[in-house]
């Protein structure tokens, strides 16, 4: 037994089975014995509780600490992201919980069974029905020591068991699979969710103008490499005049699950998709660019398994440039102005910041180059904005509206496709196109100014000037704004 060298009445040494009687506080903090708290940690936690008395789970950013107590590798976390939590257990090992959550989740019993850190939080989040009661303090308040290599295997096994038990309780049929770990030894996971009991029809909508070779590559790869078979393709021909393209489109019309519709109006990406959804028969809608190429046969199974879960809104895929580098691993609101893709140009197998380039996680926005959404959600949102956002940012606007309606949007790396980006549309370098683009930017800033400054899935300590999660200098974090946000 360790002998306490500091004389302080607040420090008590008790046995685990005495916890329920010994802990009298309204809130309880959990930490590992070999890590360190920042001197201001409890002050920040107290501030969060004071500003938001309904807070049930409070967590903060962290970094690593070496054997010589040197700090390194800051971990700037997102606000509450349930899919990322299941992928990476990112809340632990330091968290503060309201005592009634501890009692309702039977955490004292879990501690007796040897659970700790994120393994405890799985139980706790199941008792917190309002996500607003999970509070993130975007300050580095905890310093983690790396697990010795000999301890990592046991940690992975315990974490896998805890995650699987959580899934058994909340998503029966889901399967937790170990998917690597970060450099501190924290394990990562892929969760395979069950497919719907009845296989729904999916309508895949592909607008195009000419571009026979791209469309043929897209549709051929869809037909040959998609294991999910209950789908239809609606090809929207927006005024094609190339004879080869027209001949190819005509040949498609004779196939049982492909419909070609003609629209000779101006290029209005939003309206082309909205009109096609009216003609679609599916319960789920996939918006897809004509320059997408399927490379993994289970891409649609993955997106349906995520999109069919209660509370899920839009599902986005991982898109690669033809050379194999990342083109889309999710979108951050406000990045580069209105919105920007994170982890762009990363090699396809690189993990990225916090592993987010290879782990399923929640985001405000994903790109409509390939996204899936329930038809009922699409229709309840009124579809894409075909008045103010005819070309740019219509997917950003749509995803933000879905988020505001209370759904969780999600991005998955386990549906990976090639995107021959914007191969047919060209750049917005014509004066008329530039003027339209500026109007669309202005609309986005007027409509979503707060979200463009405060994307909950992108830490305020990270810059909005690049896609690589570099630290913002000076920081975008404001303690006054944070307190105001909590108190609102």
């Amino acid at each position: 037994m360790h002998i306490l060298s500091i004389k302080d009445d607040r420090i008590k040494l008790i046995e685990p089975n005495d916890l329920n009687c010994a802990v009298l506080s309204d809130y309880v903090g959990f930490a590992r014995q070999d890590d360190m708290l920042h001197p201001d940690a409890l002050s920040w936690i107290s501030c969060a509780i004071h500003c938001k008395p309904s807070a049930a789970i409070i967590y903060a950013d962290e970094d690593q600490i070496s054997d010589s107590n040197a700090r390194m590798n800051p971990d700037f976390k997102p606000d509450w992201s349930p899919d990322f939590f299941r992928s990476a257990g990112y809340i632990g090992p330091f968290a503060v919980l309201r005592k009634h959550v501890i009692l309702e989740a039977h955490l004292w019993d879990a501690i007796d069974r040897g659970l700790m850190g994120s393994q405890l939080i799985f139980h706790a989040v199941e008792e917190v029905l309002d996500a607003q009661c999970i509070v993130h303090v975007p300050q580095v308040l905890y310093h983690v020591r790396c697990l010795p290599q000999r301890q990592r295997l046991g940690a992975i096994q315990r974490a896998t068991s805890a995650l699987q038990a959580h899934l058994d309780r909340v998503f029966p049929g889901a399967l937790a699979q170990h998917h690597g770990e970060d450099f501190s030894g924290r394990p990562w996971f892929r969760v395979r969710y069950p497919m719907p009991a009845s296989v729904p029809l999916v309508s895949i909508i592909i607008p195009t103008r000419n571009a026979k070779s791209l469309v043929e590559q897209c549709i051929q790869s869809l037909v040959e490499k998609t294991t999910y078979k209950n789908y239809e393709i609606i090809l929207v021909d927006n005024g094609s005049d190339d004879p080869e393209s027209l001949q190819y489109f005509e040949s498609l019309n004779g196939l049982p699950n492909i419909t070609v519709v003609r629209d000779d109006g101006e290029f209005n990406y939003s309206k082309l998709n909205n009109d096609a959804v009216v003609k679609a028969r599916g319960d789920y809608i996939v918006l897809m660019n004509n320059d997408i190429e399927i490379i993994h046969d289970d891409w649609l199974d993955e997106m349906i398994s995520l999109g069919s879960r209660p509370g899920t809104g839009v599902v986005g895929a991982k898109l690669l440039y033809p050379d194999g580098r990342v083109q889309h691993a999710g979108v951050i609101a406000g990045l580069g102005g209105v919105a920007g893709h994170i982890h762009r140009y990363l090699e396809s197998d690189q993990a990225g910041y916090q592993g987010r380039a290879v782990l399923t996680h929640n985001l405000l926005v994903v790109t409509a180059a390939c996204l899936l959404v329930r038809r009922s959600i699409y229709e309840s949102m009124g579809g894409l904005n075909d008045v103010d956002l005819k070309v740019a940012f219509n997917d950003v606007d749509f995803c933000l509206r879905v988020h505001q309606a209370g759904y969780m949007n999600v991005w998955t790396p386990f549906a990976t496709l090639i995107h021959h980006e914007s191969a047919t549309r060209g750049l917005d370098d014509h004066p008329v196109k530039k003027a339209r683009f500026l109007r669309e930017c202005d609309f986005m800033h007027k409509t979503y100014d707060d979200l463009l400054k405060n994307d909950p899935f992108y830490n305020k300590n990270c810059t909005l000037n690049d896609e690589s999660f570099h630290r913002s200098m000076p920081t975008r974090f404001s303690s006054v704004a944070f307190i105001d946000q909590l108190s609102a």
Side-chain angles (χ1 to χ4, degrees), residues 397 404 442-450:
D397 165 77
Q404 290 176 329
D442 186 56
F443 173 85
M444 292 298 294
H445 281 286
K446 287 180 178 179
T447 308
Y448 300 109
D449 183 65
D450 183 63

Side-chain angles (χ1 to χ4, degrees), residues 96-108:
V96 175
L97 278 59
R98 185 183 279 273
K99 189 176 180 181
H100 80 78
V101 172
I102 294 172
L103 297 177
E104 291 170 3
H106 306 290
L107 290 196
W108 300 141

Side-chain angles (χ1 to χ4, degrees), residues 199-245:
V199 182
L201 177 64
V202 179
S203 297
I204 303 173
I205 298 172
I206 307 172
T208 192
R209 174 178 167 82
N210 297 318
K212 184 253 185 184
S213 60
L214 282 174
V215 175
E216 186 173 25
Q217 175 179 255
C218 178
I219 291 180
Q220 186 173 340
S221 67
L222 265 170
V223 172
E224 293 180 353
K225 297 182 180 178
T226 301
T227 53
Y228 189 97
K229 296 306 180 185
N230 196 20
Y231 67 86
E232 65 171 357
I233 298 172
I234 299 178
L235 182 69
V236 184
D237 174 9
N238 184 210
S240 295
D241 54 11
D242 169 57
E244 285 192 10
S245 296

Side-chain angles (χ1 to χ4, degrees), residues 15 24 49 76 106 204 383 394 444:
E15 297 297 327
L24 305 177
I49 294 171
F76 298 129
H106 306 290
I204 303 173
N394 34 59
M444 292 298 294

Side-chain angles (χ1 to χ4, degrees), residues 103-226:
L103 297 177
E104 291 170 3
H106 306 290
L107 290 196
W108 300 141
D109 294 338
I111 291 172
D112 281 344
R113 298 197 307 271
L115 299 186
M116 60 185 70
S118 301
Q119 302 157 27
L120 296 174
I121 307 301
F122 283 125
H123 290 268
V125 296
E126 295 167 28
E127 301 298 330
V128 181
L129 301 180
D130 183 358
Q132 298 300 314
C133 295
I134 302 177
V135 176
H136 167 221
V137 181
Q139 292 285 286
V140 175
L141 303 181
Y142 192 73
H143 315 304
V144 181
R145 295 193 190 275
C146 294
L147 285 176
Q149 195 66 40
R150 65 182 181 278
Q151 296 181 18
R152 293 190 180 189
L153 181 59
I156 291 169
Q157 292 171 338
R158 290 191 299 272
T160 305
S161 297
L163 173 56
Q164 187 61 59
H166 163 73
L167 294 172
D168 291 343
R169 294 189 294 268
V170 299
F171 287 110
L175 178 65
Q177 295 179 328
H178 180 232
H179 192 63
E181 58 264 354
D182 67 13
F183 40 73
S184 73
R186 178 180 294 169
W188 293 336
F189 296 95
R190 175 184 182 179
V191 177
R192 290 183 179 269
Y193 292 92
M195 297 291 285
S198 60
V199 182
L201 177 64
V202 179
S203 297
I204 303 173
I205 298 172
I206 307 172
T208 192
R209 174 178 167 82
N210 297 318
K212 184 253 185 184
S213 60
L214 282 174
V215 175
E216 186 173 25
Q217 175 179 255
C218 178
I219 291 180
Q220 186 173 340
S221 67
L222 265 170
V223 172
E224 293 180 353
K225 297 182 180 178
T226 301

Side-chain angles (χ1 to χ4, degrees), residues 380-432:
S380 70
M381 295 295 107
L384 303 182
N385 185 337
D386 56 17
V387 175
D388 305 294
L389 301 170
K390 297 179 180 180
V391 180
F393 306 126
N394 34 59
D395 49 359
V396 179
D397 165 77
F398 179 75
C399 289
L400 293 179
R401 285 187 281 126
V402 171
H403 167 79
Q404 290 176 329
Y407 296 97
M408 275 283 188
N409 300 328
V410 59
W411 175 86
T412 174
F414 304 111
T416 300
L417 309 93
I418 294 176
H419 185 198
H420 302 267
E421 186 182 26
S422 300
T424 58
R425 185 164 67 85
L427 300 175
D428 289 338
D429 53 0
H430 187 278
V432 173

